[in-house]
Amino acid sequence: MTALFALATSLLWGLADFGGGLLTRRMPALTVVVVSQTAAAVVLGVIVIATGGWSEAGPQLWFAVAAGAVGPVAMLSFYKALALGPMGVVSPLGSLGVAVPVSVGIVVGERPGLLQFAGVGIAVVGVVLAGGPQLRGAPVQRRAVLLTLVAAFGFGSVMSLIAQASTTLTGLFLALFVQRLTNIAVGGGALYVSVRRGARALPEEGGATVVLTALPALVCVGLADVAANGTYSIAAQHGPVTVAAVLASLYPVVTALAARGVLKERLRGVQAAGAGLALVGTVLLATG
């Protein structure tokens, strides 16, 4: 069950990243974050009311609040790092956030078998290579590296925090709802500050019409992201966190394959090799 839900997480996160990346080409990144998370919060709110999720409220929801506060900071750091580039370095480094939940799992006493340890190493190397690391070319700004490491730590922290936010399915719906509300508060605050400083909340060409036209896609991105958080939480609660975290972090492979299939982007040799290694690591983790 752990492997199945963790792989579902990779699929959902990969598609959400791909969709979000396309949308940020048409509108400000903060707008994409706030609108997509608002759509997810509305759906989750209905589910919480229908399932009586409020009865699961307790101190553990502070983990969801923390995850909701860290998430937008990590995402914005990642976008700023991508803007500074080069993307071929930034993208693979961002996937190193898997070290956070893996470390947490080891600290709490998890001891994967030899094959699983090998699978962890092979899968992580595969994920990094699948991002298409730039091995030569322009130097990387120190600020870009620092921002990427902040983002990676944030992504990994969200994985660890959301896994602790609930122990039941209805509690998970409530935790994800609280996380989204916090995402909206933090992201909305950042959007307000950026607008006050002269940035635009709407696309320069098309304005609100572009956002409304893209609303179905924004809803899909938001729902895919929240579903990924949910499937990861289930995976981490029903098996070793070290295994769940690594398998869930295969999403860069999904994003690269989606770009290949939809945008006809050609995979570089290093990306194809990375995808292959990630697959080998997945098999070892699932069977070890």
Side-chain angles (χ1 to χ4, degrees):
M1 177 179 285
T2 296
L4 179 62
F5 279 99
L7 289 173
T9 300
S10 284
L11 176 63
L12 291 165
W13 264 334
L15 293 177
D17 281 356
F18 175 70
L22 288 181
L23 288 168
T24 54
R25 296 181 179 183
R26 303 167 55 189
M27 63 190 76
L30 271 174
T31 301
V32 172
V33 172
V34 173
V35 176
S36 63
Q37 296 305 306
T38 299
V42 171
V43 174
L44 281 169
V46 173
I47 295 175
V48 168
I49 293 173
T51 60
W54 294 112
S55 62
E56 299 288 339
Q60 73 275 9
L61 284 181
W62 287 110
F63 287 108
V65 173
V70 171
V73 175
M75 190 172 296
L76 289 176
S77 297
F78 191 59
Y79 283 147
K80 288 184 178 180
L82 288 173
L84 293 172
M87 190 177 296
V89 173
V90 172
S91 181
L93 281 179
S95 65
L96 295 180
V98 67
V100 176
V102 168
S103 299
V104 170
I106 293 175
V107 167
V108 299
E110 291 184 1
R111 294 295 182 268
L114 183 60
L115 283 179
Q116 288 181 320
F117 263 123
V120 167
I122 293 173
V124 170
V125 172
V127 168
V128 173
L129 294 180
Q134 181 170 306
L135 305 178
R136 65 186 66 176
V140 185
Q141 293 186 36
R142 181 179 301 177
R143 186 184 176 204
V145 174
L146 291 175
L147 284 170
T148 305
L149 293 177
V150 168
F153 179 80
F155 292 147
S157 297
V158 169
M159 294 172 71
S160 296
L161 289 166
I162 201 61
Q164 301 296 321
S166 67
T167 56
T168 65
L169 183 59
T170 53
L172 177 59
F173 288 138
L174 178 60
L176 293 174
F177 179 59
V178 171
Q179 181 191 11
R180 259 63 216 166
L181 291 180
T182 310
N183 278 344
I184 295 168
V186 175
L191 180 60
Y192 174 77
V193 171
S194 68
V195 171
R196 289 293 300 269
R197 291 180 175 178
R200 297 181 63 88
L202 298 174
E204 188 170 351
E205 295 184 7
T209 302
V210 174
V211 177
L212 290 174
T213 302
L215 192 57
L218 288 163
V219 171
C220 288
V221 167
L223 292 179
D225 180 57
V226 73
N229 279 265
T231 52
Y232 175 74
S233 181
I234 294 172
Q237 290 172 9
H238 289 83
V241 172
T242 48
V243 174
V246 173
L247 291 180
S249 296
L250 298 178
Y251 58 89
V253 178
V254 177
T255 303
L257 292 176
R260 174 70 178 90
V262 178
L263 302 179
K264 307 304 178 184
E265 292 183 358
R266 297 187 62 181
L267 291 179
R268 294 162 53 193
V270 68
Q271 289 179 295
L277 286 175
L279 179 59
V280 172
T282 299
V283 173
L284 291 176
L285 282 166
T287 60

